[in-house]
């Protein structure tokens, strides 16, 4: 998600409108056409007929605010505009049938470098997303906007291509460029050189975590004073780290100890999580990562309608894991909009701009200490445009909205909410100088706010101000989806605020053990989504435990203790070991799996070294139920085609027939764009009680092995809420058995909201088996559908 190693070709011309031979071009001396109020608004126009060009300037609302004629200058012409107030603008020039348009912004003037304690920032990935000649103007644009932090990217594999070679290259230049502009860089890496895992084609985890330590130690020392926060990995709870939480927890520990050994004083973040509460997050916290980071870190791309709920969920997660008093950073927060074909449409530009202040306000109100908009430069990912700038660095309205939010909220200390009509929101912040409300409404309506002054300032999302008179201590404004800032509320407003306020997070003082335990199972297949290894009952597996001593001066002597699920056996459960300074000791233990038990099963490796308990290693295990015989089963008796009802997306057709090997066959076809799904269903005559069962098993096969096609099971309870298998089961041409355990089913957002938030197995009214695909045609066969119990 969003932070992969970007492979991008950006053809740019400084901060001018895109140029083509024989066409008109516009450019200015202002970086990215970002002017400060009071600076001359002058553009250079080149191309046929440029000395006689007519120009017009339109504001964010499309209103013409200036027009005139260019004047000859050198080989081209100059377009000099009158002074304009803060805002977003577009300049269009026409000459001899040609036309060119360039966007520009006017920001409020400010003195000095950006304030580094202001909470609103941007994710830049500048070293990857921008060309070298763009780095300096990008830094200057942030300085002008008052943005004090930028999130960057660094490739370990690129700077450390061989064990004995370190070349920081462009990452040095980018850090120096932002530092010179007074902007703090927060850096992240999430890859590893191939030589660190030469036999692992499907991993990014180094075979020897001492390489992680050596790299972060070198990075911490090299960038001391230039990098002000470090993150060891991006979104390892999904595909950016193909291994499980047992291995990542050890990476986080090794990285943290390396940064500290290198003398880096910058705080270290936990890896950025993006899935919310998951088996992966449980795993790494059970393994003790809380002692190896100062700042909690997460990502969200939730739509605004779910933003409050999303932020509350992440905050609850920090409390559940005992780190709720630490700083919380939201380090990727963007809006998915289509690039048509590569750039944002006028409509989507407004959507992005409207997203900015609302997401900022909800995030800060929810307790986030630093919020990073994703993403600053132009960036198209699989047809989705995330950037706030055109490829030539000129702004979308979204960038002006970011700058306006930063300059308006400043310190952004949340104070509380005001009671407003349903559908409206009014969050109040202290800027360090005054109180400001951020107000919007999902539908157009009047909103009244209490004020002490007779007149307040209303600022729109691109920075345009207007005065508003108060009457009887109340100011009334027309609110809509575009947020407005109300400045000058006065201190009396605080007595009318509601809602809780999270105190600012505080950096902990950490001194974790330097002995790190890294356990893993060798051999069994793993399931990334469930964060577990698959084993069979009675199967023999190898538990490999690497014991690292990251103390470079002293050896470590201690004892390992193994804790296994009930019924599991091990050749040994305790052993003593000694690890040399900066050494590694590998211990391999043969285990025999016990009888079936519901997931997750946990294999704990604990240790005590030099009289001090160290963080454990924890590996999650799940039984492979496709090869496990159920203790009890009951056929659902749906082998007849007439038992099923057709249920397919509007762009599809389906037929149901007897399967050649028993069961039923679904012949499915799709045409045209849109989601492609087919979920024929079974409606029960009356509600069924499935509480004695653990899940449903069925055999299936496709006429394709397409990797983008999956089969899922869904079940519906009374009232309409539906629950389904999350990732689905992969397509294949051979018969496979799928087992959908009820506790692992997730609520389907396509169905009615479940008031109690859980699947009620005593109120089942129907179920479905079907598929999601991108293919035009396919066949799915299903047979032997039954309720099962394994205990």
């Amino acid at each position: 998600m969003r932070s992969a190693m970007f492979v991008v070709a950006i053809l740019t011309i400084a901060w001018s409108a895109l140029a083509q031979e024989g066409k008109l071009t516009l450019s200015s001396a202002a970086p990215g056409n970002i002017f400060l109020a009071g600076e001359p608004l002058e553009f250079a126009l080149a191309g046929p007929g440029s000395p006689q060009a007519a120009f017009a300037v339109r504001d964010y609302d499309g209103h013409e605010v200036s027009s005139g004629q260019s004047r000859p200058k050198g080989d081209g012409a100059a377009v000099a505009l009158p002074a304009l107030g803060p805002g977003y603008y577009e300049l269009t020039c026409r000459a001899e049938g040609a036309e060119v348009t360039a966007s520009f912004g006017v920001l409020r003037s400010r003195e000095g470098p950006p304030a580094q304690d202001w909470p609103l920032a941007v994710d830049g990935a500048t070293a990857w997303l921008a060309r070298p000649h763009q780095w300096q103007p990008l830094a200057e644009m942030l300085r002008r906007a008052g943005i004090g932090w930028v999130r960057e990217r660094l490739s370990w594999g690129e700077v450390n291509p061989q064990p004995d070679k370190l070349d920081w290259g462009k990452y040095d230049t980018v850090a120096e460029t932002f530092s010179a502009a007074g902007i703090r860089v927060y850096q992240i890496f999430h890859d590893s050189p191939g030589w660190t895992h030469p036999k692992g084609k499907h991993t990014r985890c180094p075979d020897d975590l001492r390489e992680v330590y050596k790299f972060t130690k070198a990075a911490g020392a090299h960038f001391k004073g230039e990098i002000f926060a470090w993150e060891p990995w991006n979104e390892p709870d999904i595909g950016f780290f193909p291994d499980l939480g047992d291995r990542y927890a050890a990476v986080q520990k090794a990285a943290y100890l390396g940064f500290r050994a290198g003398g880096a004083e910058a705080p270290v973040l936990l890896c950025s999580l993006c899935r919310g509460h998951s088996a992966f997050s449980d795993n790494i916290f059970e393994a003790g990562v809380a002692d190896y980071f100062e700042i909690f870190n997460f990502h969200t791309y939730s739509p605004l309608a779910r933003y409050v709920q999303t932020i509350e969920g992440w905050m609850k997660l920090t409390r559940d894991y005992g780190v709720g008093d630490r700083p919380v950073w939201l380090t990727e927060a963007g809006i998915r909009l289509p690039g048509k074909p590569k750039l944002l449409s006028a409509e989507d530009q407004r959507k992005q701009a409207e997203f900015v202040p609302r997401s900022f306000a909800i995030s800060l109100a929810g307790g986030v200490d630093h919020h990073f908009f994703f993403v600053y430069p132009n960036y198209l990912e699989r047809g989705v445009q995330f950037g706030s700038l055109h490829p030539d660095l000129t702004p979308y309205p979204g960038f002006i909205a970011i700058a306006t939010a930063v300059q308006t909220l400043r310190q952004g200390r949340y104070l509380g909410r005001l009671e407003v009509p349903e559908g409206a929101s009014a969050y109040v912040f202290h800027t360090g100088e005054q109180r400001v409300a951020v107000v919007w409404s999902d539908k157009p309506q009047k909103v009244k706010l209490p004020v002490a002054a007779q007149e307040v300032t209303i600022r729109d999302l691109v920075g345009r101000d207007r005065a508003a008179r108060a009457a009887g201590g109340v100011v009334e404004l027309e609110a809509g989806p575009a947020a407005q800032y109300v400045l000058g509320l006065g201190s009396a407003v605080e007595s009318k605020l509601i809602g809780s306020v999270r105190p600012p997070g505080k950096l902990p003082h950490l001194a974790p053990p330097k002995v790190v335990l890294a356990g893993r199972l060798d051999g069994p297949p793993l399931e990334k989504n469930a964060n577990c290894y698959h084993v069979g009952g009675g199967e023999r597996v190898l538990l490999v435990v690497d014991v690292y001593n990251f103390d470079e001066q002293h050896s470590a002597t201690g004892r390992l203790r193994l804790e296994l699920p009930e019924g599991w056996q091990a050749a040994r459960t305790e052993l003593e070991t000694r690890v040399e300074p900066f050494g590694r000791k590998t211990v391999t233990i043969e285990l025999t799996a016990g009888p079936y038990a519901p997931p997750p099963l946990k294999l704990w490796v604990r240790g005590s070294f030099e009289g001090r308990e160290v963080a454990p290693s924890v590996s999650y295990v799940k039984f492979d139920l496709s090869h496990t015989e159920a203790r009890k089963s009951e056929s659902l008796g749906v082998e007849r085609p007439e038992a099923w009802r057709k249920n397919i997306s509007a762009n599809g057709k389906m037929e149901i027939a007897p399967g050649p090997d028993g069961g039923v066959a679904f012949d499915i076809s799709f045409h045209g764009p849109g989601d492609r799904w087919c979920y024929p269903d079974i409606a029960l005559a009356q509600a069924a009680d499935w509480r004695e069962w653990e899940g449903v098993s069925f055999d299936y096969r496709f006429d394709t092995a397409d990797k983008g096609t999956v089969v899922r099971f869904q079940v519906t309870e009374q009232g309409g809420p539906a629950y389904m298998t999350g990732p689905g089961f992969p397509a294949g041409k051979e018969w496979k058995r799928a087992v959908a355990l009820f506790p692992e089913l997730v609520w389907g957002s396509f169905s009615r909201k479940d008031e109690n938030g859980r699947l009620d197995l005593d109120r089942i009214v129907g179920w479905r088996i079907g598929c999601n695909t991108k293919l035009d045609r396919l066949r799915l066969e299903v047979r032997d559908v039954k309720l099962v119990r394994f205990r």
Side-chain angles (χ1 to χ4, degrees):
M1 184 187 289
R2 278 71 49 205
S3 294
M5 173 65 81
F6 305 104
V7 181
V8 182
I10 304 175
L11 303 177
T12 64
I13 302 174
W15 36 90
S16 64
L18 293 176
Q20 298 179 38
E21 187 176 352
K23 302 287 187 178
L24 289 175
T25 62
L26 268 172
S27 61
S28 80
N33 287 351
I34 298 298
F35 297 87
L36 296 178
E39 290 183 338
L41 300 177
E42 186 166 307
F43 293 80
L45 179 64
S50 57
Q52 293 84 37
F55 71 81
V57 179
R58 296 186 180 276
D59 65 10
Y60 178 65
D61 299 315
H63 299 141
E64 187 174 298
V65 295
S66 179
S67 62
Q69 198 82 17
S70 65
R71 56 180 174 81
K73 185 176 182 180
D75 295 332
V79 177
L81 306 180
L84 296 172
Y88 170 84
Y89 302 94
E90 292 180 356
L91 169 63
T92 300
C93 295
R94 298 180 179 87
E96 297 185 359
E99 178 178 305
V100 63
T101 297
S103 64
F104 68 97
V106 178
L107 305 181
R108 285 171 172 77
S109 297
R110 54 182 311 281
E111 296 181 358
Q116 292 157 351
D117 60 342
W118 292 1
L120 302 181
V122 294
D123 186 338
T126 313
W128 292 357
L129 291 186
R131 294 292 183 87
H133 71 271
Q134 295 180 315
W135 297 340
Q136 196 282 327
L138 283 167
E140 175 60 17
M141 291 163 68
L142 293 187
R143 189 193 70 79
R144 290 181 166 225
I147 297 171
W149 281 86
V150 63
R151 185 176 188 243
E152 274 302 313
R153 301 292 189 286
L154 183 150
S155 167
W156 177 10
E158 180 182 348
V159 303
N160 194 186
Q162 301 170 12
D164 57 350
K165 182 179 180 180
L166 268 176
D167 182 0
W168 302 104
K170 62 185 178 184
Y171 304 107
D172 256 339
T173 307
V174 170
E176 291 165 0
T177 301
F178 281 117
S179 184
I183 297 158
R184 291 194 167 195
V185 174
Y186 141 42
Q187 186 61 273
I188 173 179
F189 70 92
H190 56 267
D191 70 325
S192 56
W195 57 264
T196 65
H197 47 84
K199 296 181 180 179
K201 294 182 179 180
H202 304 292
T203 184
R204 295 186 186 178
C205 185
D207 296 339
D208 188 339
L209 296 186
R210 287 175 295 183
E211 299 300 341
V212 176
Y213 175 96
K214 288 191 288 186
F215 174 70
T216 56
K217 178 181 178 181
H222 181 81
F223 288 104
K224 187 175 182 179
E226 284 189 333
I227 302 298
F228 290 87
W230 287 97
E231 179 185 341
W233 215 275
N234 180 75
E235 299 178 356
D237 50 346
I238 59 172
F240 290 107
F241 189 81
D243 294 287
L244 305 183
D246 54 0
R247 299 198 74 180
Y248 180 73
V251 170
Q252 176 79 31
K253 298 169 189 176
Y256 182 88
L257 293 170
F259 284 127
R260 292 292 168 259
E265 299 173 354
V268 175
L269 284 76
L270 177 65
C271 59
S272 45
L273 298 173
C274 66
R275 291 183 57 199
H277 187 177
S278 68
F280 185 94
S281 62
D282 282 345
N283 192 170
I284 64 175
F285 274 95
E286 288 175 345
V289 295
D291 290 335
Y292 296 85
F293 73 88
E294 282 90 12
I295 297 173
F296 184 82
N297 171 26
F298 73 96
H299 294 169
T300 183
Y301 290 83
S302 290
L304 285 172
R306 296 209 300 266
Y307 234 70
V308 171
Q309 179 183 358
T310 297
I311 301 298
E312 287 177 349
W314 283 107
M315 290 300 168
K316 180 180 184 301
L317 187 144
T318 67
R319 297 190 296 271
D320 291 346
Y321 292 142
V323 294
D325 58 344
R326 299 188 192 183
V328 175
W329 287 13
L330 170 49
T331 57
E332 281 189 27
I335 177 172
R336 294 183 175 92
L337 296 166
K340 300 176 180 178
K342 295 182 179 180
L343 307 178
L344 291 179
S345 67
E347 178 184 1
D348 286 337
Q349 289 181 39
R350 295 187 74 89
K351 288 181 181 178
Q352 185 189 67
E354 291 178 2
F355 168 83
V356 166
R358 293 174 62 168
S359 62
F360 279 166
I362 295 171
S363 169
L364 297 183
V368 167
D369 294 285
H370 257 75
H371 178 124
F372 292 76
F373 173 84
F374 185 88
V375 62
Y376 176 33
N378 184 272
Y379 175 50
L380 185 74
E381 180 183 82
R382 294 191 292 273
V384 177
Q385 177 59 252
F386 290 98
S388 68
L389 306 176
H390 291 91
D392 64 353
L393 306 191
T394 55
Y396 286 129
F399 178 73
I400 307 304
I402 294 169
T404 299
V406 170
Q407 294 185 347
T408 303
L409 294 180
R410 301 168 70 85
Q411 291 183 7
R413 180 164 58 85
Y414 178 60
L415 300 176
R417 292 182 290 111
L418 288 168
E419 287 194 84
V420 289
E422 184 178 354
S425 299
Y427 294 92
V428 179
F429 299 87
H430 203 296
T431 70
E433 298 175 354
Q434 62 175 319
R435 293 152 191 86
V436 175
V438 187
V439 183
W440 67 83
S441 175
D442 293 331
K443 59 183 179 181
Q445 62 177 314
K446 296 183 184 297
V447 173
K448 296 180 179 180
L449 302 180
V451 297
Q454 294 184 350
E455 186 176 278
V456 296
T457 297
I458 310 293
R459 180 171 296 167
D460 73 4
L461 58 81
V462 292
R464 297 174 296 185
D465 286 356
R466 63 180 177 86
R469 298 287 296 178
V474 172
V475 66
E476 184 176 84
L477 68 154
E478 296 285 348
Q484 302 174 73
Y485 304 93
V486 183
L487 292 79
L489 294 176
S491 59
V493 73
E494 294 192 27
S495 65
K496 302 181 183 300
L497 297 178
I498 59 175
S500 60
V501 177
R502 176 182 180 263
K506 296 183 178 180
L507 294 173
H509 299 287
L510 303 175
K514 294 183 179 181
V515 172
V516 171
L517 309 181
R520 67 187 186 278
L521 290 186
D522 185 21
L526 60 84
E527 182 183 345
K528 176 66 179 179
N529 189 66
N531 187 68
C532 63
Y533 299 95
H534 281 203
V535 300
E539 181 180 352
R540 292 186 176 182
V541 294
L542 294 180
L543 174 65
V544 178
V545 183
D546 289 321
V547 184
Y548 293 94
N549 178 17
F550 290 113
D551 189 323
E552 298 183 46
Q553 304 297 323
H554 305 96
S555 61
T557 301
R559 175 179 292 272
L560 297 178
R561 309 184 308 278
L562 186 61
E563 297 178 8
L564 301 175
E566 185 177 354
W568 285 57
Q569 297 179 347
R572 46 185 173 169
T573 57
E574 289 195 19
L575 65 133
E576 292 186 356
T577 188
R578 182 176 184 274
V579 190
E580 298 301 318
F582 201 60
R584 176 179 67 167
K585 182 70 67 71
T586 300
V587 177
T588 301
I589 304 172
E590 185 177 89
L591 308 178
T592 302
Y596 169 79
L601 303 176
K602 301 174 185 180
L603 312 180
W604 293 80
V605 182
R606 302 186 185 275
S608 178
F609 286 80
E610 303 300 328
R612 184 181 184 185
E613 194 74 9
V614 303
S617 172
V618 191
S619 298
Y620 283 23
V621 174
K622 177 181 178 182
F623 277 89
D624 181 2
L625 297 181
S626 65
H627 295 90
T628 302
E629 193 67 30
R631 289 197 172 188
K632 184 178 181 181
S633 65
E634 180 179 299
S635 174
L636 285 172
V638 290
E639 304 292 305
R640 297 174 295 104
E642 56 268 25
W644 297 80
R645 295 188 306 190
K646 296 179 181 180
N647 181 38
I648 192 168
S649 55
N651 57 352
K653 294 181 179 180
M654 68 173 298
E655 297 297 333
I656 307 175
D661 295 336
V664 291
F666 307 127
D667 288 296
I668 306 163
S669 63
F670 296 97
H671 54 86
D675 289 341
R676 296 183 169 194
W677 54 263
C678 177
Y679 282 91
D681 63 5
I682 299 290
L684 303 181
Q686 59 185 22
D689 187 344
W690 287 0
R691 285 178 294 180
E692 70 170 294
W693 305 103
E694 291 181 280
V696 167
S697 75
F698 59 94
D699 294 347
Y700 73 95
R701 73 177 175 187
F702 288 89
D703 61 353
T704 176
D706 174 57
K707 292 183 178 180
T709 299
V710 295
V711 64
R712 289 186 172 95
F713 171 79
Q714 298 178 13
V715 63
T716 305
E717 64 177 59
Q718 281 180 324
Y723 288 78
M724 62 189 296
T725 48
F729 304 99
K733 294 184 177 182
E734 302 298 327
W735 283 104
K736 297 182 180 180
R737 173 155 297 173
V739 179
L741 295 177
F742 295 138
E744 296 181 359
L745 302 184
V746 297
W747 173 72
S749 59
F750 57 85
S751 69
R752 183 171 296 178
K753 183 179 180 181
D754 195 338
E755 295 302 326
N756 65 10
R758 67 173 185 271
L759 173 60
D760 296 316
L761 289 171
D762 59 340
R763 303 172 63 234
I764 303 302
V765 295
W767 52 272
R768 301 167 177 169
I769 295 175
C771 64
N772 295 79
T773 188
K774 294 183 179 180
L775 300 179
D776 293 333
R777 291 182 176 276
L778 71 162
R779 165 177 274 213
L780 168 62
E781 296 176 56
V782 176
R783 69 184 184 189
D784 199 19
V785 185
K786 54 190 177 184
L787 293 163
V788 291
R789 183 170 194 85
F790 294 92
R791 288 181 292 174

